[in-house]
Amino acid sequence: DTGVSQDPRHKITKRGQNVTFRCDPISEHNRLYWYRQTLGQGPEFLTYFQNEAQLEKSRLLSDRFSAERPKGSFSTLEIQRTEQGDSAMYLCASSTRPLGASAPNYGYTFGSGTRLTVV
Amino acid sequence: EDKVVQSPLSLVVHEGDTVTLNCSYEVTNFRSLLWYKQEKKAPTFLFMLTSSGIEKKSGRLSSILDKKELFSILNITATQTGDSAVYLCAVYQGGSEKLVFGKGTKLTVNP
């Protein structure tokens, strides 16, 4: 499978625990994005990496959230002291081109997501 | 505040019907509009629209953008049960790498 891979697929955790998710982008993709999607909503942008540099962060990314992409390949998203409001699907996407590039079939490639449930 | 509004939020049709999904937007520095299909998990890319009035087509799906009136429509003709999904509209703004998504339209196609 050469798509974007996310692990785990599901995570149930108790409130107050820390969780970490992993995203493996398509191998030649240097751009990586994290989104959060709650039930009945569209995905909301969290953060963006180009290679290992974190170039953009949303205000949604509170102090409890941290993302890394240490070698410019896979990325991790950690949530500390989870709250029930953190329950959501966390989606990762990758691409080779900036969004502004003109391409007839352009689009992020999304992974299948990690569904987090905080109880 | 930047926003993308989709309508209807939910739609139930019978196989063979034609549907039109709507997406309106109010964003600063608009660059392009994208449509995605989300079945169970990963959104999959359908179209990217940058210019007004130019229809994009892929099989039974087509889409067009009106930059003056700030909206786009996604048409699906001769719907099939496999078209059942959430259709997401997203806008790309210049100066950022993020997409701003609408809430989606949940389409159910009954046999």
Side-chain angles (χ1 to χ4, degrees), chain B:
Chain B
E1 183 183 336
D2 297 325
K3 59 181 180 180
V4 177
V5 178
Q6 293 187 246
S7 65
L9 292 180
S10 181
L11 188 57
V12 181
V13 300
H14 292 290
E15 262 191 322
D17 288 351
T18 293
V19 297
T20 298
L21 310 183
N22 304 293
C23 175
S24 64
Y25 60 90
E26 289 180 32
V27 299
T28 54
N29 200 12
F30 171 88
R31 295 290 292 276
S32 60
L33 185 145
L34 295 89
W35 285 96
Y36 286 85
K37 178 182 182 182
Q38 186 174 32
E39 293 179 81
K40 292 288 187 184
K41 294 172 182 175
T44 53
F45 173 76
L46 295 175
F47 298 112
M48 183 174 79
L49 302 154
T50 306
S51 302
S52 268
I54 298 175
E55 186 182 49
K56 295 271 183 105
K57 289 198 74 170
S58 177
R60 296 175 294 103
L61 277 67
S62 63
S63 184
I64 197 161
L65 174 68
D66 185 329
K67 290 168 72 174
K68 183 180 177 184
E69 299 297 331
L70 309 183
F71 78 91
S72 174
I73 59 173
L74 175 68
N75 279 319
I76 308 175
T77 59
T79 52
Q80 301 171 357
T81 54
D83 295 327
S84 296
V86 173
Y87 289 84
L88 295 164
C89 171
V91 169
Y92 164 55
Q93 301 169 273
S96 168
E97 285 296 307
K98 72 178 183 183
L99 291 174
V100 179
F101 282 86
K103 291 185 177 182
T105 293
K106 183 177 180 181
L107 175 65
T108 302
V109 182
N110 290 324

